[in-house]
Amino acid sequence: MTLATAQQEMKLRRIFIKNQMPEQLTGLSRMSHNILWSWMPQVAELFRSIDPAQFVALNYNPVALLEGLAPARLDELAADKDFLKRLRRAEKAFDAYLAEPMKKDLPRVAYFSMEYGLHISLKLYSGGLGVLAGDYLKEASDSNVDLFAVGLLYRYGYFNQGLSMNGDQIHHYPAQKFTQLPVKPVRAEDGNWLKVPVTIQGRIVQAKVWSLAIGRINLYLLDTDHEDNGPDDRALTHMLYGGDNEHRLKQEILLGIGGVRAIEAMGLQPDIYHLNEGHAGFLSLERLKNYVAAGLSFAEAREMVRASSLYTTHTPVPAGHDHFPEYLMRGYLYNYAADLGLEWGDFMALGRLHPDDAGEDFNMSKLSIRLSQRVNGVSKLHGEVSQEMFTSLYPGYTAEEVHIGYVTNSVHYPSWIADSMHELFSTEFGNDWVRDQSNKDIWRNVHKIDNKVLADTRHTLKVRLLDYVKAKLQVDMRRRGESPRMTFDVLSKINEKSLVLGFARRFATYKRATLLFTNRDRLRELVNREDQPVLFLFAGKAHPADQGGQDLIRQIVQISKEPDFAGKIIFLEDYNMEMAKLLTQGVDIWLNTPTRPLEASGTSGMKAALNGSVNFSVLDGWWAEGYRPDAGWALPLERTYDDQHMQNELDAETMYSILEDEIVPTYFNRDEDGVSAEWMSYVKQIIAEVAPTFTMKRMMDDYYERFYLPLGKSAAAVRKDDMQPGKSYAAWKEDTANKWHGIETIETHTLDTVNHALPVGEPFSAELKLATNGIEADHLVLEALFYQRVNEEKIVLRRTQAFKLKEQTDSTATYTISIDPHLAGVYEYGFRLRPSHDMMPHAQDLPLVYWV
Ligand SMILES: *Cc1c(COP(=O)(O)O)cnc(C)c1O
């Protein structure tokens, strides 16, 4: 036979057969391409109803769902009167939302972040930082403000977590199909796909620009994974937080520098740049470069950039801030020094604490803080910790004087509230109340809801959670290879009458996920009470490089298999936004046990609070602000032991005591209706008194009031008249800095406080004469400061008063003061001279001081 030819080989060609939406159904496709659908329950429900099982299987992704629908099903839907009616109604609400005009007269904000947690089907996030950014963008849309965002479009994103039978974390990286995401290409003027060039080690890498609609606003995403680029460069946008430090550097160059270029190419012209974490810090370099290219000096350019930048820091641990060694910086950003008109050493100094320390790495938070006029932490406590952390940048000032402020993080109500809870609230909270969601008076109407009705609604959410847990365990345990007997044992012990506690978040060691297991005997007793069963649910991913975090997961998985703990301690694989929803809505108690003060804010506890899940947490981050004794429980504030082991042991014993003596008895103290009135009082109080403060509306209002509006003014002030004010402010700063070291003390007349005490009520007076080296007295402020010593390292400012200028000459200024300190006790005081200018937003905008 001689028939064997090439024609025998399978010969296949590719064709994409695009679903043709029947005319009546095109609205589905349109709505699936704006993530707004995810926080409009009626639209989400519409998608789900098309094929509930498939919707879940596709990670609740409506684009994928519609793409995969059989033509017959489409015809069926197109003929389904009821479905079409619901579709029309949904479209009407959707379009009405989109049609509302944007608020006027607000500065336009460009928001930069490395990650965005918008929906489970968009793998652009790892954890809390991303979810916060995602929630913020949704609120920007709801609040109708002038804001757009910039980020990276990852092919693989952050990993999906699997577990081995032993509890070893397994990392899966399924690729995203961009055609199944609600993203679309941004077109250049010529109609081609917009691409922006970024130089990486001398190579030009082209980043495609995509846009993702989030209600009324846009998130622009850069993507290098396409045929214009070589394999290494394509990998730039593969993984979120993957690879080594050098890879991170490249990604940050892409985000910051590429991001600014994309904004320019689109002609967006923001007034303000908001850096969500130091990852975005390089954006300021690119902006500097543009100003220098337009003819400004470096100092002038820096003024323009600073006056329009806000940097939000999220990490209270210095090691958590990205930093790059000099050789890497040299390899990637050497040309920027010349472009900015700087010597290389001066360029590196932008990211160093000690400008002259050639061994110091280039630190992204130092860069960001130097090139941003305003800086904030993400809770009150974290603001204070950040002040401490950055005090060394401002010699002559104590931490509490450092200009860093705070905006406490929050959550987007429509994204995290259970539908059933929202319906219940809406019966008592009036019409359209969500627009006024940070108003406590509205939320206090929760007390009008009948206890039994509220308890039943909460119980239904718990049952839904436990059904999900059981279904998930069945699949996951089989895949891990657990025996059917073990699986059956665990499932049969899951009891919906239990008090259910949840702990889910990133498994970083400081979060102390295993604190609960410090005393196993006590825990065993607690979870196994006959009539008061208790169940703990755990979930969370550890970073692939974090062995310590992965050890904690392994420990919990192993404990969960011991006979006494089976069905009482459960670890759920692959924490994500969908699971976070089910958990925070369904548990009775949300638990958090970080080492204080390392939890900058934490947001999952707020999601729980909205839904009436009561918090039990260390008084750290947001809970230090949110906690009230009638609305939850707290582990104490103060640190008792220096030794962390001892502290852990103490905290664990305190935790058991609170659980045994307060939480469990309160929960199970039921009346004949099966309701614990005392428990419902906690539920209602956390909803009424805590939840409204931690809604995104409040956070957005805070950002505008504390940062965007003042910054918008500074930005406009330096920019007007062809940037003249900015240039002269820069010139004044340079001149003042040059003259500053020539300041000298000529005479001091003051009370001899070494030998004399000052009686209370008696004024303290002083007269000082200074040589000002040509700096005008108008531009100087001399202050007397009274501090009290707390311990060897720490002093606290108790009183400040400015001196009066008595007389001045060309070269001197004489000041007097008479101050009644109104204080008794031992103080330390001093006289501090600092520069002053009416364009200065805060003292450290030019951090020069002279202590007399
Ligand atoms: C809300 C959320 C977080 C943040 O949790 P914290 O309490 O801030 O640690 C992390 N991951 C996911 C998936 C979330 O939804």
Side-chain angles (χ1 to χ4, degrees):
M1 300 281 282
T2 55
L3 284 174
T5 67
Q7 302 306 119
Q8 270 184 321
E9 299 287 323
M10 283 178 86
K11 182 172 169 185
L12 303 175
R13 300 175 179 87
R14 200 163 126 164
I15 175 171
F16 176 46
I17 304 175
K18 209 167 168 254
N19 241 338
Q20 197 60 43
M21 276 284 155
E23 180 63 29
Q24 307 92 304
L25 300 181
T26 49
L28 287 173
S29 169
R30 194 166 60 83
M31 292 194 290
S32 73
H33 280 87
N34 186 325
I35 200 73
L36 169 62
W37 73 262
S38 72
W39 76 96
M40 278 198 147
Q42 72 184 122
V43 188
E45 175 52 32
L46 190 70
F47 287 132
R48 199 195 62 85
S49 69
I50 294 173
D51 187 339
Q54 188 62 4
F55 193 47
V56 176
L58 291 169
N59 258 339
Y60 310 84
N61 180 341
V63 182
L65 179 79
L66 296 177
E67 186 185 295
L69 279 187
R73 178 69 181 132
L74 283 173
D75 293 341
E76 205 173 84
L77 289 172
D80 179 339
K81 290 230 164 57
D82 173 61
F83 183 83
L84 291 177
K85 209 158 96 194
R86 287 192 294 133
L87 172 57
R88 290 290 97 81
R89 266 208 301 267
E91 272 190 283
K92 208 169 149 211
F94 200 85
D95 291 337
Y97 177 100
L98 292 178
E100 270 190 42
M102 185 188 282
K103 287 210 181 88
K104 286 208 183 73
D105 302 325
L106 291 175
R108 173 173 292 176
V109 181
Y111 184 87
F112 276 65
S113 179
M114 198 72 166
E115 51 169 316
Y116 292 96
L118 289 156
H119 187 255
I120 181 182
S121 64
L122 279 160
K123 287 166 63 65
L124 306 176
Y125 71 97
S126 123
L129 179 71
V131 174
L132 178 84
D135 274 12
Y136 191 62
L137 299 190
K138 293 174 184 171
E139 181 61 43
S141 168
D142 290 348
S143 290
N144 233 334
V145 294
D146 194 358
L147 183 148
F148 67 88
V150 178
L152 304 182
L153 182 60
Y154 301 101
R155 179 67 63 181
Y156 303 95
Y158 202 58
F159 71 97
N160 287 1
Q161 179 192 51
L163 289 177
S164 77
M165 214 192 297
N166 288 332
D168 302 311
Q169 179 171 279
I170 302 164
H171 310 108
H172 301 292
Y173 287 96
Q176 314 201 70
K177 283 195 191 131
F178 294 167
T179 51
Q180 293 186 345
L181 300 185
V183 292
K184 61 173 199 276
V186 174
R187 300 282 168 196
E189 267 172 19
D190 59 9
N192 289 326
W193 200 323
L194 179 65
K195 293 178 194 166
V196 290
V198 178
T199 309
I200 302 277
Q201 279 186 319
R203 296 185 304 280
I204 303 287
V205 177
Q206 295 287 351
K208 279 184 177 171
V209 186
W210 298 82
S211 104
L212 195 163
I214 302 167
R216 301 167 179 128
I217 71 162
N218 284 317
L219 165 59
Y220 299 104
L221 296 164
L222 304 182
D223 159 28
T224 62
D225 189 14
H226 53 89
E227 51 293 338
D228 289 2
N229 301 319
D232 283 358
D233 298 329
R234 292 184 69 143
L236 269 181
T237 50
H238 279 180
M239 291 196 246
L240 169 61
Y241 306 140
D244 57 10
N245 205 31
E246 181 166 356
H247 187 72
R248 179 70 70 88
L249 173 64
K250 292 195 259 184
Q251 287 188 318
E252 293 185 2
I253 288 173
L254 180 64
L255 174 67
I257 294 172
V260 170
R261 291 184 183 170
I263 290 176
E264 267 164 35
M266 293 183 283
L268 292 174
Q269 303 193 320
D271 299 303
I272 295 175
Y273 289 75
H274 185 168
L275 290 70
N276 187 44
E277 195 44 291
H279 306 135
F282 291 138
L283 79 85
S284 301
L285 293 183
E286 179 67 7
R287 295 187 62 212
L288 284 173
K289 180 176 157 176
N290 290 343
Y291 280 117
V292 170
L296 270 61
S297 70
F298 173 74
E300 290 167 343
R302 185 176 51 193
E303 241 22 83
M304 304 308 296
V305 171
R306 279 179 56 85
S308 49
S309 299
L310 169 65
Y311 162 47
T312 300
T313 174
H314 290 264
T315 316
V317 213
H321 297 242
D322 285 335
H323 51 93
F324 304 109
E326 199 260 357
Y327 78 89
L328 274 186
M329 292 296 292
R330 190 181 282 274
Y332 286 89
L333 290 163
Y334 190 72
N335 289 338
Y336 267 79
D339 291 340
L340 301 184
L342 295 178
E343 298 290 328
W344 178 245
D346 292 333
F347 177 83
M348 282 298 294
L350 288 171
R352 284 177 172 153
L353 172 60
H354 306 289
D356 302 328
D357 179 356
E360 206 181 302
D361 280 2
F362 189 95
N363 185 304
M364 295 304 282
S365 57
K366 302 282 183 319
L367 173 74
S368 304
I369 206 169
R370 282 217 174 83
L371 296 178
S372 302
Q373 185 194 85
R374 316 254 169 172
V375 179
N376 73 290
V378 291
S379 69
K380 185 163 188 293
L381 185 61
H382 177 242
E384 289 164 16
V385 172
S386 304
Q387 286 177 311
E388 300 265 353
M389 189 162 59
F390 292 114
T391 313
S392 49
L393 285 172
Y394 306 110
Y397 289 97
T398 53
E400 62 188 318
E401 295 176 279
V402 169
H403 67 91
I404 298 174
Y406 74 94
V407 172
T408 305
N409 283 346
S410 286
V411 294
H412 182 242
Y413 171 88
S415 294
W416 296 105
I417 194 70
D419 291 348
S420 56
M421 290 297 283
H422 179 61
E423 279 163 28
L424 205 51
F425 291 166
S426 297
T427 57
E428 299 292 348
F429 291 12
N431 283 333
D432 214 21
W433 68 276
V434 177
R435 282 175 197 261
D436 197 14
Q437 60 186 261
S438 49
N439 181 346
K440 276 195 181 172
D441 290 338
I442 295 177
W443 289 77
R444 290 194 175 118
N445 290 316
V446 74
H447 292 291
K448 292 187 190 155
I449 299 173
D450 178 63
N451 272 352
K452 175 91 170 93
V453 172
L454 182 56
D456 287 349
T457 306
R458 300 245 348 115
H459 185 72
T460 308
L461 290 169
K462 179 180 349 194
V463 172
R464 185 186 63 164
L465 167 64
L466 295 182
D467 287 347
Y468 161 83
V469 168
K470 285 187 257 189
K472 179 165 173 59
L473 283 176
Q474 214 148 25
V475 175
D476 291 350
M477 289 178 80
R478 187 185 319 137
R479 194 176 39 220
R480 267 180 247 163
E482 297 287 7
S483 71
R485 177 191 296 200
M486 162 80 80
T487 308
F488 179 79
D489 188 37
V490 168
L491 296 182
S492 65
K493 284 181 175 158
I494 295 177
N495 181 350
E496 22 182 88
K497 296 212 166 60
S498 306
L499 169 73
V500 179
L501 295 93
F503 180 107
R505 48 186 52 81
R506 256 180 333 116
F507 266 56
T509 42
Y510 80 84
K511 300 209 183 209
R512 298 194 298 183
T514 54
L515 191 66
L516 184 69
F517 306 104
T518 312
N519 183 341
R520 299 264 178 101
D521 293 334
R522 215 167 157 183
L523 179 64
R524 188 175 290 116
E525 195 278 324
L526 177 73
V527 298
N528 283 304
R529 293 181 189 178
E530 191 67 43
D531 49 349
Q532 302 191 331
V534 174
L535 163 59
F536 288 89
L537 298 174
F538 286 86
K541 299 176 182 177
H543 188 274
D546 178 7
Q547 285 307 325
Q550 291 175 40
D551 286 345
L552 298 182
I553 292 174
R554 194 176 307 113
Q555 223 175 312
I556 296 177
V557 171
Q558 288 175 0
I559 291 169
S560 73
K561 298 207 278 188
E562 290 177 17
D564 285 348
F565 293 117
K568 309 279 179 178
I569 304 286
I570 290 170
F571 188 94
L572 296 167
E573 282 179 23
D574 202 26
Y575 188 44
N576 56 43
M577 289 178 72
E578 195 54 34
M579 197 196 295
K581 239 191 230 182
L582 290 163
L583 281 170
T584 53
Q585 294 171 359
V587 301
D588 299 298
I589 288 276
W590 193 251
L591 189 66
N592 195 11
T593 52
T595 304
R596 197 172 176 271
L598 300 182
E599 183 83 314
S601 166
T603 53
S604 56
M606 305 169 185
K607 302 168 192 164
L610 293 178
N611 286 289
S613 302
V614 183
N615 275 251
F616 176 25
S617 167
V618 170
L619 282 179
D620 193 11
W622 82 281
W623 193 231
E625 287 161 65
Y627 168 70
R628 301 163 42 111
D630 61 354
W633 286 272
L635 283 169
L637 196 67
E638 293 313 325
R639 208 184 162 95
T640 313
Y641 292 100
D642 286 336
D643 177 77
Q644 190 59 46
H645 269 295
M646 300 284 274
Q647 186 67 41
N648 289 353
E649 210 170 287
L650 172 71
D651 287 350
E653 294 299 328
T654 314
M655 177 161 69
Y656 298 128
S657 297
I658 294 176
L659 283 166
E660 290 162 0
D661 302 341
E662 299 181 37
I663 297 179
V664 173
T666 306
Y667 182 77
F668 287 105
N669 179 18
R670 309 279 174 84
D671 61 17
E672 58 273 22
D673 276 347
V675 176
S676 162
E678 214 187 331
W679 187 263
M680 294 321 292
S681 160
Y682 279 94
V683 170
K684 287 182 169 176
Q685 285 297 76
I686 199 165
I687 293 171
E689 303 296 332
V690 180
T693 308
F694 301 97
T695 51
M696 264 295 160
K697 166 110 178 22
R698 193 274 304 145
M699 172 170 151
M700 179 135 291
D701 290 347
D702 282 353
Y703 269 110
Y704 274 88
E705 191 180 311
R706 296 179 195 173
F707 297 103
Y708 293 166
L709 294 178
L711 208 48
K713 287 203 179 103
S714 316
V718 292
R719 220 172 268 158
K720 71 179 178 196
D721 302 336
D722 206 15
M723 301 189 276
Q724 261 327 306
K727 288 180 183 172
S728 64
Y729 184 43
W732 171 78
K733 276 190 173 180
E734 268 195 305
D735 182 53
T736 306
N738 288 335
K739 289 175 177 164
W740 197 256
H741 47 257
I743 292 174
E744 281 175 35
T745 308
I746 302 173
E747 283 169 30
T748 39
H749 303 284
T750 172
L751 178 72
D752 171 6
T753 49
V754 178
N755 295 306
H756 297 280
L758 183 73
V760 168
E762 196 123 311
F764 174 90
S765 8
E767 182 165 321
L768 306 180
K769 185 170 183 184
L770 304 175
T772 52
N773 197 26
I775 304 174
E776 288 168 45
D778 285 7
H779 285 149
L780 291 170
V781 172
L782 179 64
E783 288 166 324
L785 301 115
F786 285 75
Y787 296 94
Q788 209 160 23
R789 186 158 290 283
V790 180
N791 56 39
E792 264 179 41
E793 289 115 56
K794 193 169 164 135
I795 52 173
V796 177
L797 184 61
R798 296 294 184 203
R799 194 71 206 273
T800 313
Q801 188 173 314
F803 279 72
K804 287 205 173 73
L805 180 66
K806 187 179 168 197
E807 63 190 355
Q808 60 174 317
T809 69
D810 286 350
S811 59
T812 68
T814 306
Y815 294 91
T816 60
I817 194 168
S818 172
I819 171 171
D820 176 356
H822 275 304
L823 301 163
V826 177
Y827 292 85
E828 295 175 33
Y829 72 98
F831 309 125
R832 185 176 65 195
L833 186 73
R834 58 177 172 82
S836 156
H837 189 285
D838 56 13
M839 288 186 75
M840 240 169 136
H842 53 74
Q844 289 120 22
D845 200 47
L846 180 58
L848 299 170
V849 294
Y850 174 86
W851 284 88
V852 179

